[in-house]
Amino acid sequence: DAKKYKFRTMRQSLLDAADVLDEQIDIFTEVIQKHHNLKASDIGDPTFQQQSEVYTVGRIVADSVSAEGSLNVDSLAIETSRSTGIGRRIRLNFEKVQDLSVFPGQIIGLRGKNANGEYFVVEEILKVPYLNFPVSDAETLQNSQITLNDQAMKVVVTAGPYTAANNLDFSNLADFVERINSSIKPHVLVMFGPFLDITHPLISTGNIPEFPSLKQQPKTLDEIFIKVITPILRRINPKIQVIVLPSTKEVSSKHAAYPQDSLDRKYLGLPKNFKCFTNPSTFQLNEIFFGCSNNDIYKDLKEVTKGGNVFQRNRFDRVSEHILEQRRYYPVFPGGIRTRKIEDKNGKPIFEHISGADLDLPYLGLTEFVGGIIPDVILIPSELTHFARVVQNVIMINPGSFIRPNGGRGTYVEMSIEAPDMENEKMTKVEDVYLHNLWKRSRIDVLTA
Amino acid sequence: NGMDTLQPLETTISDKERFRDSVPLELSCPNCITKFAFGGIVASRYYRCVYSGIQCSNCDHIMTPIQVTSQVERVIRAHISLYYAGWVTCDDTTCGNVTRQISVYGKRCLMDGCTGIMSYKYSDKQLYNQMLYFQSLFDLQKNKLQTLKPLYHSGDKNEPEKPLSNSEVQALAEQNRPLFETSKQVVQKYLSDCGRAYVDMGSIFDFMQT
Ligand SMILES: [Zn+2]
Ligand SMILES: [Zn+2]
């Protein structure tokens, strides 16, 4: 519900934040209890010394409040909810666990024992069940089939930045728009910000170059968007549906927190074939559910790992599974921050804040998967190398940056999705509805932008 | 303790008092990369307001409007992002816990045995005042009345030799009207989304009702 994102920013209450953090544990306690057929009384307080094993659910945290950065398997603790352990924390001992990948902010279910009052020895990490996949009835699928005229649906995905770090030259974007219109010709184009990044080095120094094509130079950054970027975007063929998601680094968004309100289409002068969506957002194209989030979880989720089986797997797969399991697009807490080392007046090194995940904690509920289902495809741009992978039958995509910081061409993603065909063995019928099985029906190419 | 926390209406507080904790607006000259604190149309060793804008005293470069407004916006966004980094701090001076971890009880300190109360290190009130401070620097009325928070204490080594004359300030304010109004709008863009601004309105009415 897009209206819920219209909240005013810069007004976090610590108590509201704490309510959300507590609630997350309570929600998963119920999920884990149900899935493992446990009684409410089986869930215990791990912070107490006990003779017997207990099941418990809590949040993975660093065992020291001053711990920033690198954690290891010996420096973790679990935080209990108000109802399970009056919010107390206890150090975790993972000696008996062979393979693990955990991270701060993760809600986890454990079986184990606190024999000495000092730490909780984990015997087993309890599986958190995945949410259900979306399904469609025959009529919906038939409608998709008719709409697409049995042709594949083509969806193109791009993510900012759209200029190099040493200029504000949008000519590559302009060229791309030409290719979109003349050769790529998608049904839908999903574009992630930032279009104009507030942390761009030239903006930090006020070193805004002249725009030779403009008679009157822009006086504000918003005017750069409206006078320079909008005219390029307006050239996209109006028959192509364009979906725009902001970034918290987007200049033209005054809502600089995650979850984030959509950009103002009219103010920016974007035409009617543009839809400005919130960050994150879930939407449907025909029967298919798209989950989109523009907050770099692939960079910010710093796992603590153990065991050969874990290392052999692709890190993007592990992080994707964490996202699916935690049922929200940015499960890390505290969120990532980017700082820069500078010297203060006395020559002492200090850290200057540059940017971050900018989590608005009381509203984190808006970053959870919508409607109790897993989207068919999840798009999360990252600074890290582009990828498209099938994880637990969900297509996870990082399209990569459109332009590299040094100005080199980046990447974009082209998805070609076969129209649904109920006669086809690719669809799975479950009673009177069908699983979408998008991963069986899609071809995904990561291409040079 | 209702009486202890009773504050005068915010509008009656001088900018010097209200912006006591606000940090200066640091601009960088795009030509010679000298950094300086911008304090409105006031005397400074590092910049001067001239009829066509803000001029760097080191290299005489006059900044274009976008060179000013882009930096104002960048600085505001850095403040908002720092606010959202969510640093919290313990009020017990013997503890001094500063962290980004938050207990499920919010205000409880996570240090063993500490009974201190946690609160945001960068409070929404501070952020709101910081933005009001940036706005004041481009407020023509306040510039003309010369009620801005001073950039320097008397005795600072960077203190300018003498202040601008009243007639200079009046003339420069009018000559720079478009630049100042545009810059003020950039600050206003963020104030319009700031929850604190609306809460303050509410609390004024609460005050009048009781
Ligand atoms: Zn200069
Ligand atoms: Zn404390």
PDB file of all heavy atoms in Angstrom, chain B residues 83-96:
ATOM      1  N   TYR B  83      21.856  11.063  10.969  1.00  0.00           N
ATOM      2  CA  TYR B  83      20.725  10.861  11.884  1.00  0.00           C
ATOM      3  C   TYR B  83      20.211   9.417  11.776  1.00  0.00           C
ATOM      4  O   TYR B  83      20.007   8.737  12.780  1.00  0.00           O
ATOM      5  CB  TYR B  83      19.608  11.860  11.554  1.00  0.00           C
ATOM      6  CG  TYR B  83      18.295  11.568  12.228  1.00  0.00           C
ATOM      7  CD1 TYR B  83      18.099  11.856  13.570  1.00  0.00           C
ATOM      8  CD2 TYR B  83      17.252  10.962  11.530  1.00  0.00           C
ATOM      9  CE1 TYR B  83      16.903  11.562  14.204  1.00  0.00           C
ATOM     10  CE2 TYR B  83      16.051  10.667  12.149  1.00  0.00           C
ATOM     11  CZ  TYR B  83      15.876  10.964  13.484  1.00  0.00           C
ATOM     12  OH  TYR B  83      14.702  10.664  14.110  1.00  0.00           O
ATOM     13  N   TYR B  84      20.054   8.940  10.539  1.00  0.00           N
ATOM     14  CA  TYR B  84      19.531   7.582  10.332  1.00  0.00           C
ATOM     15  C   TYR B  84      20.557   6.485  10.621  1.00  0.00           C
ATOM     16  O   TYR B  84      20.207   5.313  10.633  1.00  0.00           O
ATOM     17  CB  TYR B  84      18.936   7.434   8.935  1.00  0.00           C
ATOM     18  CG  TYR B  84      17.504   7.928   8.879  1.00  0.00           C
ATOM     19  CD1 TYR B  84      17.143   9.038   8.129  1.00  0.00           C
ATOM     20  CD2 TYR B  84      16.524   7.278   9.621  1.00  0.00           C
ATOM     21  CE1 TYR B  84      15.831   9.484   8.110  1.00  0.00           C
ATOM     22  CE2 TYR B  84      15.219   7.724   9.608  1.00  0.00           C
ATOM     23  CZ  TYR B  84      14.875   8.820   8.859  1.00  0.00           C
ATOM     24  OH  TYR B  84      13.583   9.258   8.852  1.00  0.00           O
ATOM     25  N   ALA B  85      21.824   6.856  10.819  1.00  0.00           N
ATOM     26  CA  ALA B  85      22.796   5.842  11.237  1.00  0.00           C
ATOM     27  C   ALA B  85      22.394   5.315  12.617  1.00  0.00           C
ATOM     28  O   ALA B  85      22.766   4.214  13.003  1.00  0.00           O
ATOM     29  CB  ALA B  85      24.197   6.426  11.265  1.00  0.00           C
ATOM     30  N   GLY B  86      21.597   6.122  13.352  1.00  0.00           N
ATOM     31  CA  GLY B  86      20.974   5.638  14.580  1.00  0.00           C
ATOM     32  C   GLY B  86      21.923   5.389  15.744  1.00  0.00           C
ATOM     33  O   GLY B  86      21.735   4.435  16.496  1.00  0.00           O
ATOM     34  N   TRP B  87      22.924   6.232  15.909  1.00  0.00           N
ATOM     35  CA  TRP B  87      23.806   6.087  17.074  1.00  0.00           C
ATOM     36  C   TRP B  87      23.011   6.409  18.336  1.00  0.00           C
ATOM     37  O   TRP B  87      22.282   7.401  18.377  1.00  0.00           O
ATOM     38  CB  TRP B  87      24.998   7.037  16.965  1.00  0.00           C
ATOM     39  CG  TRP B  87      25.967   6.643  15.892  1.00  0.00           C
ATOM     40  CD1 TRP B  87      25.995   7.105  14.608  1.00  0.00           C
ATOM     41  CD2 TRP B  87      27.037   5.700  16.008  1.00  0.00           C
ATOM     42  NE1 TRP B  87      27.016   6.504  13.918  1.00  0.00           N
ATOM     43  CE2 TRP B  87      27.678   5.641  14.742  1.00  0.00           C
ATOM     44  CE3 TRP B  87      27.511   4.893  17.050  1.00  0.00           C
ATOM     45  CZ2 TRP B  87      28.775   4.805  14.500  1.00  0.00           C
ATOM     46  CZ3 TRP B  87      28.605   4.074  16.806  1.00  0.00           C
ATOM     47  CH2 TRP B  87      29.216   4.038  15.541  1.00  0.00           C
ATOM     48  N   VAL B  88      23.151   5.579  19.346  1.00  0.00           N
ATOM     49  CA  VAL B  88      22.506   5.856  20.624  1.00  0.00           C
ATOM     50  C   VAL B  88      23.566   5.938  21.714  1.00  0.00           C
ATOM     51  O   VAL B  88      24.650   5.367  21.583  1.00  0.00           O
ATOM     52  CB  VAL B  88      21.442   4.786  20.993  1.00  0.00           C
ATOM     53  CG1 VAL B  88      20.215   4.908  20.116  1.00  0.00           C
ATOM     54  CG2 VAL B  88      22.013   3.379  20.916  1.00  0.00           C
ATOM     55  N   THR B  89      23.241   6.684  22.762  1.00  0.00           N
ATOM     56  CA  THR B  89      24.243   6.911  23.807  1.00  0.00           C
ATOM     57  C   THR B  89      23.596   6.826  25.192  1.00  0.00           C
ATOM     58  O   THR B  89      22.414   7.111  25.359  1.00  0.00           O
ATOM     59  CB  THR B  89      24.942   8.277  23.576  1.00  0.00           C
ATOM     60  OG1 THR B  89      25.795   8.544  24.663  1.00  0.00           O
ATOM     61  CG2 THR B  89      23.950   9.414  23.465  1.00  0.00           C
ATOM     62  N   CYS B  90      24.390   6.395  26.158  1.00  0.00           N
ATOM     63  CA  CYS B  90      23.914   6.201  27.524  1.00  0.00           C
ATOM     64  C   CYS B  90      24.100   7.500  28.315  1.00  0.00           C
ATOM     65  O   CYS B  90      25.125   8.168  28.187  1.00  0.00           O
ATOM     66  CB  CYS B  90      24.707   5.079  28.175  1.00  0.00           C
ATOM     67  SG  CYS B  90      24.255   4.764  29.898  1.00  0.00           S
ATOM     68  N   ASP B  91      23.090   7.830  29.145  1.00  0.00           N
ATOM     69  CA  ASP B  91      23.178   9.101  29.890  1.00  0.00           C
ATOM     70  C   ASP B  91      23.996   8.976  31.175  1.00  0.00           C
ATOM     71  O   ASP B  91      24.261   9.970  31.848  1.00  0.00           O
ATOM     72  CB  ASP B  91      21.777   9.666  30.171  1.00  0.00           C
ATOM     73  CG  ASP B  91      21.018   8.855  31.224  1.00  0.00           C
ATOM     74  OD1 ASP B  91      21.472   7.734  31.554  1.00  0.00           O
ATOM     75  OD2 ASP B  91      19.973   9.332  31.696  1.00  0.00           O
ATOM     76  N   ASP B  92      24.392   7.763  31.511  1.00  0.00           N
ATOM     77  CA  ASP B  92      25.218   7.577  32.703  1.00  0.00           C
ATOM     78  C   ASP B  92      26.673   7.904  32.345  1.00  0.00           C
ATOM     79  O   ASP B  92      27.298   7.193  31.563  1.00  0.00           O
ATOM     80  CB  ASP B  92      25.092   6.118  33.187  1.00  0.00           C
ATOM     81  CG  ASP B  92      25.842   5.883  34.493  1.00  0.00           C
ATOM     82  OD1 ASP B  92      26.847   6.587  34.748  1.00  0.00           O
ATOM     83  OD2 ASP B  92      25.423   4.996  35.249  1.00  0.00           O
ATOM     84  N   THR B  93      27.188   8.972  32.932  1.00  0.00           N
ATOM     85  CA  THR B  93      28.516   9.447  32.529  1.00  0.00           C
ATOM     86  C   THR B  93      29.624   8.454  32.877  1.00  0.00           C
ATOM     87  O   THR B  93      30.679   8.462  32.251  1.00  0.00           O
ATOM     88  CB  THR B  93      28.842  10.798  33.195  1.00  0.00           C
ATOM     89  OG1 THR B  93      28.524  10.689  34.572  1.00  0.00           O
ATOM     90  CG2 THR B  93      28.055  11.927  32.563  1.00  0.00           C
ATOM     91  N   THR B  94      29.381   7.580  33.846  1.00  0.00           N
ATOM     92  CA  THR B  94      30.409   6.589  34.179  1.00  0.00           C
ATOM     93  C   THR B  94      30.395   5.439  33.181  1.00  0.00           C
ATOM     94  O   THR B  94      31.286   4.598  33.187  1.00  0.00           O
ATOM     95  CB  THR B  94      30.196   6.006  35.595  1.00  0.00           C
ATOM     96  OG1 THR B  94      28.939   5.328  35.613  1.00  0.00           O
ATOM     97  CG2 THR B  94      30.214   7.098  36.643  1.00  0.00           C
ATOM     98  N   CYS B  95      29.368   5.381  32.333  1.00  0.00           N
ATOM     99  CA  CYS B  95      29.236   4.291  31.364  1.00  0.00           C
ATOM    100  C   CYS B  95      29.723   4.747  29.999  1.00  0.00           C
ATOM    101  O   CYS B  95      30.667   4.198  29.438  1.00  0.00           O
ATOM    102  CB  CYS B  95      27.781   3.838  31.295  1.00  0.00           C
ATOM    103  SG  CYS B  95      27.424   2.744  29.915  1.00  0.00           S
ATOM    104  N   GLY B  96      29.090   5.775  29.463  1.00  0.00           N
ATOM    105  CA  GLY B  96      29.544   6.343  28.189  1.00  0.00           C
ATOM    106  C   GLY B  96      29.365   5.433  26.991  1.00  0.00           C
ATOM    107  O   GLY B  96      30.014   5.593  25.963  1.00  0.00           O
TER     108      GLY B  96
END
